[in-house]
Structures are given as C-alpha cells and as structure tokens.
Amino acid sequence: KNEVEQSPQNLTAQEGEFITINCSYSVGISALHWLQQHPGGGIVSLFMLSSGKKKHGRLIATINIQEKHSSLHITASHPRDSAVYICAAQVTGNQFYFGTGTSLTVIP
Amino acid sequence: DGGITQSPKYLFRKEGQNVTLSCEQNLNHDAMYWYRQDPGQGLRLIYYSQIVNDFQKGDIAEGYSVSREKKESFPLTVTSAQKNPTAFYLCASSVRVLETQYFGPGTRLLVL
C-alpha cells in the first residue's frame, strides 16, 4: 500500500468546470504539498499545507489532519490548467512520499 | 545501496563567493532536479535535467548554474549573483520526467 494515494488518476473536464483532486496519506506529516508538473517536466509548487485551507487565484487546497486527507480544487478550469497534479507528504526535512499524480486535461 | 547523496550537509558561504552543491545518484535515473525550500514555504524548482548534457531552468534559476556531464551527477553552483541564498537545497531524481521523484538528504546553505 502506498503511503500517499491520489484520485482520480486521470481526469478530463470541460472548460469552466469545477475540479477536485483528492489525496489521502497514511503517515505522520510535517507538511502536505501540492505540485503541478507540466508536459515539459518542470514542477511548480502550488501549495504547502500543515492545516486548514489556502487559496491562490482559482486554486484552493484544503487539509484535514485528523482524517489524513487533502483536496485540491480548481474553479473555472481552463485548458492551461492541463497538467499532472501531484500530492506529496513531507515526513521530515528531506523525506517525501509522492502520490502517483492526477493527469488533468481541460477541453476548450 | 541505491540512492541519492548530497554533500555537504551544511555549507557556509561568504558574500561574493560561489559555492557548489553536490548531488549524485546511482539509481540509473535519467531525470534530475534541484529544489529550494525556504522556511514555511513549498518547494521551488531551480533547474532540472531530463537527460545527460541537457538542463532546463525552473522557476527561480537566476543566480544559479548547473551542469549534467554525467548521468549520475548534477551539481548546483550558487553564484554571487544569488542575493538570498540561505535556504535548504534538495536534489531529486526520477527514472524519467513525470515519474516519481526520489530526494536526497538536502544541503543547508548559510551565508555569513
């Protein structure tokens, strides 16, 4: 069993739809990261969470520490949001457990 | 044992000095990455390399340089042009880009 489970694995949405990607983890964490990886391979860190909720533009990330669950929401999705979204649990300073990623395609 | 090693664990730099952080992997991974983590912030990508002799800038490449002359090695040089270099630097590798990344133990850089 993986320490970090993401769902869904693949997601196709119409432009404008509200999108949710889920992440469950089984380890004790110091922080939970949401990363965005584009087809070229570069990774952008979207959020680092240790509690509550964070919002940046159309992106919202929430975490429930008791339930060991986090969600990434995208409001009013756009084709440029198409990417792989990765949930990563930071256990210690250098130890990360990664989810397998959610490949999102937003169709115009 | 297979893995990623970074050295040194701690590094001190005087202002105006260039320093080089080492990252070596024996996992036979094609892709390698350098990230920076500041207190209370997420990872930020500095540079990545998909294959030997190739590398691409990440979000915060200014003031840094890299080389990828060998598959197993991806050293990062923090130049004097980097105005705020104090941070925790993490190296990672993956079989290929877009696959799970494995991290080294990190190097903490402090400017004196």
Side-chain angles (χ1 to χ4, degrees), chain A residues 38-74:
Chain A
H38 284 278
I43 288 181
V44 174
S45 175
L46 298 174
F47 296 103
M48 186 178 87
L49 293 163
S50 53
S51 65
K53 176 180 173 179
K54 285 190 177 180
K55 184 175 189 291
H56 181 70
R58 294 180 294 106
L59 302 177
I60 303 166
T62 63
I63 188 167
N64 184 317
I65 299 294
Q66 287 73 30
E67 294 185 3
K68 295 192 172 182
H69 182 268
S70 177
S71 293
L72 176 69
H73 306 285
I74 305 175

PDB file of all heavy atoms in Angstrom, chain A residues 38-74:
ATOM      1  N   HIS A  38       4.190  20.149 -15.601  1.00  0.00           N
ATOM      2  CA  HIS A  38       3.774  20.376 -16.964  1.00  0.00           C
ATOM      3  C   HIS A  38       4.444  19.360 -17.901  1.00  0.00           C
ATOM      4  O   HIS A  38       5.440  18.742 -17.534  1.00  0.00           O
ATOM      5  CB  HIS A  38       4.100  21.810 -17.370  1.00  0.00           C
ATOM      6  CG  HIS A  38       3.146  22.799 -16.775  1.00  0.00           C
ATOM      7  ND1 HIS A  38       1.914  23.050 -17.328  1.00  0.00           N
ATOM      8  CD2 HIS A  38       3.208  23.540 -15.662  1.00  0.00           C
ATOM      9  CE1 HIS A  38       1.271  23.939 -16.589  1.00  0.00           C
ATOM     10  NE2 HIS A  38       2.029  24.253 -15.574  1.00  0.00           N
ATOM     11  N   PRO A  39       3.932  19.213 -19.113  1.00  0.00           N
ATOM     12  CA  PRO A  39       4.481  18.214 -20.031  1.00  0.00           C
ATOM     13  C   PRO A  39       5.982  18.334 -20.242  1.00  0.00           C
ATOM     14  O   PRO A  39       6.655  17.352 -20.478  1.00  0.00           O
ATOM     15  CB  PRO A  39       3.702  18.480 -21.329  1.00  0.00           C
ATOM     16  CG  PRO A  39       2.398  19.030 -20.872  1.00  0.00           C
ATOM     17  CD  PRO A  39       2.722  19.850 -19.645  1.00  0.00           C
ATOM     18  N   GLY A  40       6.532  19.526 -20.138  1.00  0.00           N
ATOM     19  CA  GLY A  40       7.976  19.677 -20.275  1.00  0.00           C
ATOM     20  C   GLY A  40       8.755  19.122 -19.105  1.00  0.00           C
ATOM     21  O   GLY A  40       9.977  18.984 -19.179  1.00  0.00           O
ATOM     22  N   GLY A  41       8.084  18.812 -18.008  1.00  0.00           N
ATOM     23  CA  GLY A  41       8.738  18.188 -16.870  1.00  0.00           C
ATOM     24  C   GLY A  41       8.924  19.107 -15.685  1.00  0.00           C
ATOM     25  O   GLY A  41       9.117  18.654 -14.578  1.00  0.00           O
ATOM     26  N   GLY A  42       8.885  20.410 -15.902  1.00  0.00           N
ATOM     27  CA  GLY A  42       9.104  21.322 -14.785  1.00  0.00           C
ATOM     28  C   GLY A  42       7.995  21.221 -13.765  1.00  0.00           C
ATOM     29  O   GLY A  42       6.834  20.995 -14.087  1.00  0.00           O
ATOM     30  N   ILE A  43       8.392  21.376 -12.504  1.00  0.00           N
ATOM     31  CA  ILE A  43       7.433  21.266 -11.414  1.00  0.00           C
ATOM     32  C   ILE A  43       7.274  22.610 -10.740  1.00  0.00           C
ATOM     33  O   ILE A  43       8.250  23.296 -10.458  1.00  0.00           O
ATOM     34  CB  ILE A  43       7.890  20.215 -10.385  1.00  0.00           C
ATOM     35  CG1 ILE A  43       7.719  18.819 -10.976  1.00  0.00           C
ATOM     36  CG2 ILE A  43       7.116  20.348  -9.092  1.00  0.00           C
ATOM     37  CD1 ILE A  43       8.104  17.719 -10.039  1.00  0.00           C
ATOM     38  N   VAL A  44       6.018  22.952 -10.482  1.00  0.00           N
ATOM     39  CA  VAL A  44       5.711  24.164  -9.743  1.00  0.00           C
ATOM     40  C   VAL A  44       5.052  23.752  -8.437  1.00  0.00           C
ATOM     41  O   VAL A  44       4.151  22.932  -8.425  1.00  0.00           O
ATOM     42  CB  VAL A  44       4.739  25.053 -10.554  1.00  0.00           C
ATOM     43  CG1 VAL A  44       4.297  26.247  -9.720  1.00  0.00           C
ATOM     44  CG2 VAL A  44       5.396  25.526 -11.832  1.00  0.00           C
ATOM     45  N   SER A  45       5.540  24.313  -7.361  1.00  0.00           N
ATOM     46  CA  SER A  45       4.907  24.056  -6.075  1.00  0.00           C
ATOM     47  C   SER A  45       3.698  24.968  -5.950  1.00  0.00           C
ATOM     48  O   SER A  45       3.822  26.183  -6.016  1.00  0.00           O
ATOM     49  CB  SER A  45       5.898  24.326  -4.950  1.00  0.00           C
ATOM     50  OG  SER A  45       5.270  24.184  -3.698  1.00  0.00           O
ATOM     51  N   LEU A  46       2.520  24.370  -5.800  1.00  0.00           N
ATOM     52  CA  LEU A  46       1.299  25.166  -5.718  1.00  0.00           C
ATOM     53  C   LEU A  46       1.007  25.575  -4.284  1.00  0.00           C
ATOM     54  O   LEU A  46       0.684  26.724  -4.003  1.00  0.00           O
ATOM     55  CB  LEU A  46       0.122  24.364  -6.277  1.00  0.00           C
ATOM     56  CG  LEU A  46       0.217  23.958  -7.744  1.00  0.00           C
ATOM     57  CD1 LEU A  46      -0.937  23.051  -8.115  1.00  0.00           C
ATOM     58  CD2 LEU A  46       0.259  25.183  -8.642  1.00  0.00           C
ATOM     59  N   PHE A  47       1.049  24.605  -3.407  1.00  0.00           N
ATOM     60  CA  PHE A  47       0.712  24.864  -2.008  1.00  0.00           C
ATOM     61  C   PHE A  47       1.563  23.999  -1.094  1.00  0.00           C
ATOM     62  O   PHE A  47       1.923  22.895  -1.443  1.00  0.00           O
ATOM     63  CB  PHE A  47      -0.766  24.529  -1.700  1.00  0.00           C
ATOM     64  CG  PHE A  47      -1.769  25.361  -2.418  1.00  0.00           C
ATOM     65  CD1 PHE A  47      -2.448  24.850  -3.518  1.00  0.00           C
ATOM     66  CD2 PHE A  47      -2.052  26.645  -1.990  1.00  0.00           C
ATOM     67  CE1 PHE A  47      -3.382  25.613  -4.191  1.00  0.00           C
ATOM     68  CE2 PHE A  47      -2.992  27.415  -2.649  1.00  0.00           C
ATOM     69  CZ  PHE A  47      -3.659  26.907  -3.747  1.00  0.00           C
ATOM     70  N   MET A  48       1.833  24.536   0.094  1.00  0.00           N
ATOM     71  CA  MET A  48       2.328  23.738   1.198  1.00  0.00           C
ATOM     72  C   MET A  48       1.376  23.965   2.355  1.00  0.00           C
ATOM     73  O   MET A  48       1.132  25.107   2.735  1.00  0.00           O
ATOM     74  CB  MET A  48       3.744  24.128   1.600  1.00  0.00           C
ATOM     75  CG  MET A  48       4.316  23.210   2.652  1.00  0.00           C
ATOM     76  SD  MET A  48       6.006  23.607   3.127  1.00  0.00           S
ATOM     77  CE  MET A  48       5.723  24.810   4.388  1.00  0.00           C
ATOM     78  N   LEU A  49       0.818  22.886   2.881  1.00  0.00           N
ATOM     79  CA  LEU A  49      -0.210  22.984   3.920  1.00  0.00           C
ATOM     80  C   LEU A  49       0.205  22.189   5.137  1.00  0.00           C
ATOM     81  O   LEU A  49       0.730  21.102   5.021  1.00  0.00           O
ATOM     82  CB  LEU A  49      -1.516  22.358   3.425  1.00  0.00           C
ATOM     83  CG  LEU A  49      -2.284  22.997   2.294  1.00  0.00           C
ATOM     84  CD1 LEU A  49      -3.276  21.998   1.732  1.00  0.00           C
ATOM     85  CD2 LEU A  49      -3.009  24.229   2.777  1.00  0.00           C
ATOM     86  N   SER A  50      -0.070  22.734   6.304  1.00  0.00           N
ATOM     87  CA  SER A  50       0.017  21.915   7.506  1.00  0.00           C
ATOM     88  C   SER A  50      -1.314  21.901   8.241  1.00  0.00           C
ATOM     89  O   SER A  50      -1.524  21.079   9.134  1.00  0.00           O
ATOM     90  CB  SER A  50       1.135  22.408   8.417  1.00  0.00           C
ATOM     91  OG  SER A  50       0.986  23.784   8.671  1.00  0.00           O
ATOM     92  N   SER A  51      -2.204  22.814   7.861  1.00  0.00           N
ATOM     93  CA  SER A  51      -3.556  22.813   8.440  1.00  0.00           C
ATOM     94  C   SER A  51      -4.448  23.708   7.600  1.00  0.00           C
ATOM     95  O   SER A  51      -3.961  24.591   6.874  1.00  0.00           O
ATOM     96  CB  SER A  51      -3.535  23.305   9.894  1.00  0.00           C
ATOM     97  OG  SER A  51      -3.146  24.652   9.918  1.00  0.00           O
ATOM     98  N   GLY A  52      -5.757  23.507   7.724  1.00  0.00           N
ATOM     99  CA  GLY A  52      -6.730  24.439   7.172  1.00  0.00           C
ATOM    100  C   GLY A  52      -6.817  24.484   5.665  1.00  0.00           C
ATOM    101  O   GLY A  52      -6.927  23.471   4.987  1.00  0.00           O
ATOM    102  N   LYS A  53      -6.789  25.679   5.155  1.00  0.00           N
ATOM    103  CA  LYS A  53      -7.128  25.933   3.760  1.00  0.00           C
ATOM    104  C   LYS A  53      -6.259  27.059   3.240  1.00  0.00           C
ATOM    105  O   LYS A  53      -5.944  28.001   3.939  1.00  0.00           O
ATOM    106  CB  LYS A  53      -8.605  26.326   3.706  1.00  0.00           C
ATOM    107  CG  LYS A  53      -9.167  26.720   2.375  1.00  0.00           C
ATOM    108  CD  LYS A  53     -10.657  27.065   2.567  1.00  0.00           C
ATOM    109  CE  LYS A  53     -11.280  27.627   1.318  1.00  0.00           C
ATOM    110  NZ  LYS A  53     -12.720  27.922   1.515  1.00  0.00           N
ATOM    111  N   LYS A  54      -5.868  26.929   1.962  1.00  0.00           N
ATOM    112  CA  LYS A  54      -5.129  28.018   1.313  1.00  0.00           C
ATOM    113  C   LYS A  54      -5.736  28.257  -0.060  1.00  0.00           C
ATOM    114  O   LYS A  54      -6.201  27.331  -0.715  1.00  0.00           O
ATOM    115  CB  LYS A  54      -3.641  27.675   1.180  1.00  0.00           C
ATOM    116  CG  LYS A  54      -2.864  27.782   2.480  1.00  0.00           C
ATOM    117  CD  LYS A  54      -1.373  27.671   2.240  1.00  0.00           C
ATOM    118  CE  LYS A  54      -0.600  27.855   3.532  1.00  0.00           C
ATOM    119  NZ  LYS A  54       0.863  27.743   3.335  1.00  0.00           N
ATOM    120  N   LYS A  55      -5.689  29.504  -0.492  1.00  0.00           N
ATOM    121  CA  LYS A  55      -6.267  29.868  -1.792  1.00  0.00           C
ATOM    122  C   LYS A  55      -5.261  30.726  -2.553  1.00  0.00           C
ATOM    123  O   LYS A  55      -4.625  31.626  -1.999  1.00  0.00           O
ATOM    124  CB  LYS A  55      -7.572  30.648  -1.585  1.00  0.00           C
ATOM    125  CG  LYS A  55      -8.324  31.001  -2.852  1.00  0.00           C
ATOM    126  CD  LYS A  55      -9.656  31.673  -2.502  1.00  0.00           C
ATOM    127  CE  LYS A  55     -10.533  31.848  -3.730  1.00  0.00           C
ATOM    128  NZ  LYS A  55     -10.017  32.841  -4.681  1.00  0.00           N
ATOM    129  N   HIS A  56      -5.132  30.394  -3.848  1.00  0.00           N
ATOM    130  CA  HIS A  56      -4.276  31.215  -4.703  1.00  0.00           C
ATOM    131  C   HIS A  56      -4.938  31.283  -6.073  1.00  0.00           C
ATOM    132  O   HIS A  56      -4.944  30.316  -6.830  1.00  0.00           O
ATOM    133  CB  HIS A  56      -2.876  30.603  -4.805  1.00  0.00           C
ATOM    134  CG  HIS A  56      -1.940  31.408  -5.648  1.00  0.00           C
ATOM    135  ND1 HIS A  56      -1.464  32.624  -5.253  1.00  0.00           N
ATOM    136  CD2 HIS A  56      -1.406  31.172  -6.862  1.00  0.00           C
ATOM    137  CE1 HIS A  56      -0.679  33.107  -6.198  1.00  0.00           C
ATOM    138  NE2 HIS A  56      -0.622  32.244  -7.174  1.00  0.00           N
ATOM    139  N   GLY A  57      -5.522  32.442  -6.348  1.00  0.00           N
ATOM    140  CA  GLY A  57      -6.240  32.587  -7.619  1.00  0.00           C
ATOM    141  C   GLY A  57      -7.409  31.635  -7.682  1.00  0.00           C
ATOM    142  O   GLY A  57      -8.273  31.619  -6.801  1.00  0.00           O
ATOM    143  N   ARG A  58      -7.441  30.802  -8.725  1.00  0.00           N
ATOM    144  CA  ARG A  58      -8.536  29.847  -8.899  1.00  0.00           C
ATOM    145  C   ARG A  58      -8.269  28.513  -8.192  1.00  0.00           C
ATOM    146  O   ARG A  58      -9.059  27.583  -8.288  1.00  0.00           O
ATOM    147  CB  ARG A  58      -8.752  29.598 -10.387  1.00  0.00           C
ATOM    148  CG  ARG A  58      -9.253  30.832 -11.139  1.00  0.00           C
ATOM    149  CD  ARG A  58      -9.469  30.543 -12.624  1.00  0.00           C
ATOM    150  NE  ARG A  58      -8.221  30.240 -13.313  1.00  0.00           N
ATOM    151  CZ  ARG A  58      -7.857  29.032 -13.704  1.00  0.00           C
ATOM    152  NH1 ARG A  58      -8.638  27.982 -13.491  1.00  0.00           N
ATOM    153  NH2 ARG A  58      -6.713  28.861 -14.341  1.00  0.00           N
ATOM    154  N   LEU A  59      -7.164  28.422  -7.518  1.00  0.00           N
ATOM    155  CA  LEU A  59      -6.793  27.170  -6.845  1.00  0.00           C
ATOM    156  C   LEU A  59      -7.052  27.268  -5.341  1.00  0.00           C
ATOM    157  O   LEU A  59      -6.736  28.285  -4.716  1.00  0.00           O
ATOM    158  CB  LEU A  59      -5.315  26.859  -7.078  1.00  0.00           C
ATOM    159  CG  LEU A  59      -4.858  26.728  -8.523  1.00  0.00           C
ATOM    160  CD1 LEU A  59      -3.354  26.486  -8.575  1.00  0.00           C
ATOM    161  CD2 LEU A  59      -5.585  25.597  -9.221  1.00  0.00           C
ATOM    162  N   ILE A  60      -7.613  26.193  -4.814  1.00  0.00           N
ATOM    163  CA  ILE A  60      -7.871  26.105  -3.381  1.00  0.00           C
ATOM    164  C   ILE A  60      -7.380  24.749  -2.899  1.00  0.00           C
ATOM    165  O   ILE A  60      -7.662  23.727  -3.525  1.00  0.00           O
ATOM    166  CB  ILE A  60      -9.381  26.226  -3.072  1.00  0.00           C
ATOM    167  CG1 ILE A  60      -9.940  27.530  -3.630  1.00  0.00           C
ATOM    168  CG2 ILE A  60      -9.631  26.129  -1.564  1.00  0.00           C
ATOM    169  CD1 ILE A  60     -11.451  27.572  -3.658  1.00  0.00           C
ATOM    170  N   ALA A  61      -6.655  24.743  -1.798  1.00  0.00           N
ATOM    171  CA  ALA A  61      -6.210  23.474  -1.207  1.00  0.00           C
ATOM    172  C   ALA A  61      -6.685  23.409   0.227  1.00  0.00           C
ATOM    173  O   ALA A  61      -6.624  24.408   0.954  1.00  0.00           O
ATOM    174  CB  ALA A  61      -4.700  23.346  -1.268  1.00  0.00           C
ATOM    175  N   THR A  62      -7.179  22.255   0.608  1.00  0.00           N
ATOM    176  CA  THR A  62      -7.640  22.048   1.983  1.00  0.00           C
ATOM    177  C   THR A  62      -6.980  20.810   2.553  1.00  0.00           C
ATOM    178  O   THR A  62      -6.560  19.909   1.814  1.00  0.00           O
ATOM    179  CB  THR A  62      -9.167  21.859   2.034  1.00  0.00           C
ATOM    180  OG1 THR A  62      -9.500  20.677   1.302  1.00  0.00           O
ATOM    181  CG2 THR A  62      -9.893  23.041   1.425  1.00  0.00           C
ATOM    182  N   ILE A  63      -6.876  20.765   3.863  1.00  0.00           N
ATOM    183  CA  ILE A  63      -6.339  19.581   4.517  1.00  0.00           C
ATOM    184  C   ILE A  63      -7.085  19.319   5.805  1.00  0.00           C
ATOM    185  O   ILE A  63      -7.429  20.255   6.531  1.00  0.00           O
ATOM    186  CB  ILE A  63      -4.817  19.716   4.764  1.00  0.00           C
ATOM    187  CG1 ILE A  63      -4.234  18.396   5.254  1.00  0.00           C
ATOM    188  CG2 ILE A  63      -4.515  20.834   5.748  1.00  0.00           C
ATOM    189  CD1 ILE A  63      -2.717  18.348   5.224  1.00  0.00           C
ATOM    190  N   ASN A  64      -7.377  18.038   6.049  1.00  0.00           N
ATOM    191  CA  ASN A  64      -7.996  17.604   7.294  1.00  0.00           C
ATOM    192  C   ASN A  64      -6.992  16.667   7.963  1.00  0.00           C
ATOM    193  O   ASN A  64      -6.825  15.524   7.544  1.00  0.00           O
ATOM    194  CB  ASN A  64      -9.322  16.882   7.012  1.00  0.00           C
ATOM    195  CG  ASN A  64     -10.046  16.502   8.291  1.00  0.00           C
ATOM    196  OD1 ASN A  64      -9.437  16.030   9.245  1.00  0.00           O
ATOM    197  ND2 ASN A  64     -11.345  16.719   8.315  1.00  0.00           N
ATOM    198  N   ILE A  65      -6.322  17.188   8.975  1.00  0.00           N
ATOM    199  CA  ILE A  65      -5.241  16.439   9.615  1.00  0.00           C
ATOM    200  C   ILE A  65      -5.767  15.166  10.286  1.00  0.00           C
ATOM    201  O   ILE A  65      -5.137  14.112  10.214  1.00  0.00           O
ATOM    202  CB  ILE A  65      -4.513  17.316  10.647  1.00  0.00           C
ATOM    203  CG1 ILE A  65      -3.887  18.539   9.974  1.00  0.00           C
ATOM    204  CG2 ILE A  65      -3.462  16.518  11.406  1.00  0.00           C
ATOM    205  CD1 ILE A  65      -2.781  18.221   9.008  1.00  0.00           C
ATOM    206  N   GLN A  66      -6.924  15.276  10.933  1.00  0.00           N
ATOM    207  CA  GLN A  66      -7.483  14.109  11.644  1.00  0.00           C
ATOM    208  C   GLN A  66      -7.809  12.987  10.673  1.00  0.00           C
ATOM    209  O   GLN A  66      -7.564  11.822  10.955  1.00  0.00           O
ATOM    210  CB  GLN A  66      -8.749  14.504  12.423  1.00  0.00           C
ATOM    211  CG  GLN A  66      -8.489  15.339  13.682  1.00  0.00           C
ATOM    212  CD  GLN A  66      -8.086  16.758  13.365  1.00  0.00           C
ATOM    213  OE1 GLN A  66      -8.503  17.319  12.341  1.00  0.00           O
ATOM    214  NE2 GLN A  66      -7.287  17.355  14.212  1.00  0.00           N
ATOM    215  N   GLU A  67      -8.356  13.352   9.507  1.00  0.00           N
ATOM    216  CA  GLU A  67      -8.733  12.338   8.525  1.00  0.00           C
ATOM    217  C   GLU A  67      -7.588  12.003   7.575  1.00  0.00           C
ATOM    218  O   GLU A  67      -7.731  11.132   6.721  1.00  0.00           O
ATOM    219  CB  GLU A  67      -9.954  12.821   7.734  1.00  0.00           C
ATOM    220  CG  GLU A  67     -11.199  12.943   8.597  1.00  0.00           C
ATOM    221  CD  GLU A  67     -12.436  13.304   7.769  1.00  0.00           C
ATOM    222  OE1 GLU A  67     -12.306  13.390   6.522  1.00  0.00           O
ATOM    223  OE2 GLU A  67     -13.499  13.508   8.378  1.00  0.00           O
ATOM    224  N   LYS A  68      -6.481  12.713   7.680  1.00  0.00           N
ATOM    225  CA  LYS A  68      -5.323  12.488   6.791  1.00  0.00           C
ATOM    226  C   LYS A  68      -5.759  12.558   5.331  1.00  0.00           C
ATOM    227  O   LYS A  68      -5.502  11.650   4.528  1.00  0.00           O
ATOM    228  CB  LYS A  68      -4.640  11.154   7.114  1.00  0.00           C
ATOM    229  CG  LYS A  68      -4.023  11.141   8.509  1.00  0.00           C
ATOM    230  CD  LYS A  68      -3.117   9.949   8.728  1.00  0.00           C
ATOM    231  CE  LYS A  68      -2.372  10.092  10.048  1.00  0.00           C
ATOM    232  NZ  LYS A  68      -1.431   9.000  10.300  1.00  0.00           N
ATOM    233  N   HIS A  69      -6.373  13.669   5.009  1.00  0.00           N
ATOM    234  CA  HIS A  69      -6.908  13.843   3.670  1.00  0.00           C
ATOM    235  C   HIS A  69      -6.743  15.295   3.238  1.00  0.00           C
ATOM    236  O   HIS A  69      -6.915  16.221   4.028  1.00  0.00           O
ATOM    237  CB  HIS A  69      -8.395  13.473   3.662  1.00  0.00           C
ATOM    238  CG  HIS A  69      -9.018  13.586   2.319  1.00  0.00           C
ATOM    239  ND1 HIS A  69      -9.641  14.736   1.880  1.00  0.00           N
ATOM    240  CD2 HIS A  69      -9.100  12.699   1.287  1.00  0.00           C
ATOM    241  CE1 HIS A  69     -10.082  14.541   0.650  1.00  0.00           C
ATOM    242  NE2 HIS A  69      -9.764  13.319   0.279  1.00  0.00           N
ATOM    243  N   SER A  70      -6.407  15.463   1.970  1.00  0.00           N
ATOM    244  CA  SER A  70      -6.291  16.800   1.398  1.00  0.00           C
ATOM    245  C   SER A  70      -6.969  16.814   0.035  1.00  0.00           C
ATOM    246  O   SER A  70      -7.037  15.791  -0.648  1.00  0.00           O
ATOM    247  CB  SER A  70      -4.815  17.181   1.242  1.00  0.00           C
ATOM    248  OG  SER A  70      -4.682  18.451   0.626  1.00  0.00           O
ATOM    249  N   SER A  71      -7.495  17.967  -0.339  1.00  0.00           N
ATOM    250  CA  SER A  71      -8.094  18.130  -1.652  1.00  0.00           C
ATOM    251  C   SER A  71      -7.543  19.376  -2.324  1.00  0.00           C
ATOM    252  O   SER A  71      -7.231  20.369  -1.665  1.00  0.00           O
ATOM    253  CB  SER A  71      -9.627  18.278  -1.546  1.00  0.00           C
ATOM    254  OG  SER A  71     -10.214  17.094  -1.098  1.00  0.00           O
ATOM    255  N   LEU A  72      -7.422  19.278  -3.636  1.00  0.00           N
ATOM    256  CA  LEU A  72      -7.064  20.430  -4.467  1.00  0.00           C
ATOM    257  C   LEU A  72      -8.258  20.721  -5.363  1.00  0.00           C
ATOM    258  O   LEU A  72      -8.750  19.829  -6.055  1.00  0.00           O
ATOM    259  CB  LEU A  72      -5.834  20.126  -5.310  1.00  0.00           C
ATOM    260  CG  LEU A  72      -5.411  21.214  -6.292  1.00  0.00           C
ATOM    261  CD1 LEU A  72      -4.876  22.433  -5.554  1.00  0.00           C
ATOM    262  CD2 LEU A  72      -4.345  20.693  -7.260  1.00  0.00           C
ATOM    263  N   HIS A  73      -8.727  21.957  -5.326  1.00  0.00           N
ATOM    264  CA  HIS A  73      -9.861  22.361  -6.140  1.00  0.00           C
ATOM    265  C   HIS A  73      -9.403  23.406  -7.153  1.00  0.00           C
ATOM    266  O   HIS A  73      -8.589  24.282  -6.826  1.00  0.00           O
ATOM    267  CB  HIS A  73     -10.963  22.981  -5.286  1.00  0.00           C
ATOM    268  CG  HIS A  73     -11.419  22.118  -4.155  1.00  0.00           C
ATOM    269  ND1 HIS A  73     -12.234  21.016  -4.327  1.00  0.00           N
ATOM    270  CD2 HIS A  73     -11.155  22.178  -2.824  1.00  0.00           C
ATOM    271  CE1 HIS A  73     -12.466  20.452  -3.164  1.00  0.00           C
ATOM    272  NE2 HIS A  73     -11.821  21.128  -2.231  1.00  0.00           N
ATOM    273  N   ILE A  74      -9.942  23.302  -8.355  1.00  0.00           N
ATOM    274  CA  ILE A  74      -9.713  24.315  -9.383  1.00  0.00           C
ATOM    275  C   ILE A  74     -11.077  24.838  -9.801  1.00  0.00           C
ATOM    276  O   ILE A  74     -11.933  24.061 -10.262  1.00  0.00           O
ATOM    277  CB  ILE A  74      -8.977  23.750 -10.609  1.00  0.00           C
ATOM    278  CG1 ILE A  74      -7.659  23.090 -10.183  1.00  0.00           C
ATOM    279  CG2 ILE A  74      -8.713  24.856 -11.633  1.00  0.00           C
ATOM    280  CD1 ILE A  74      -6.913  22.403 -11.331  1.00  0.00           C
TER     281      ILE A  74
END
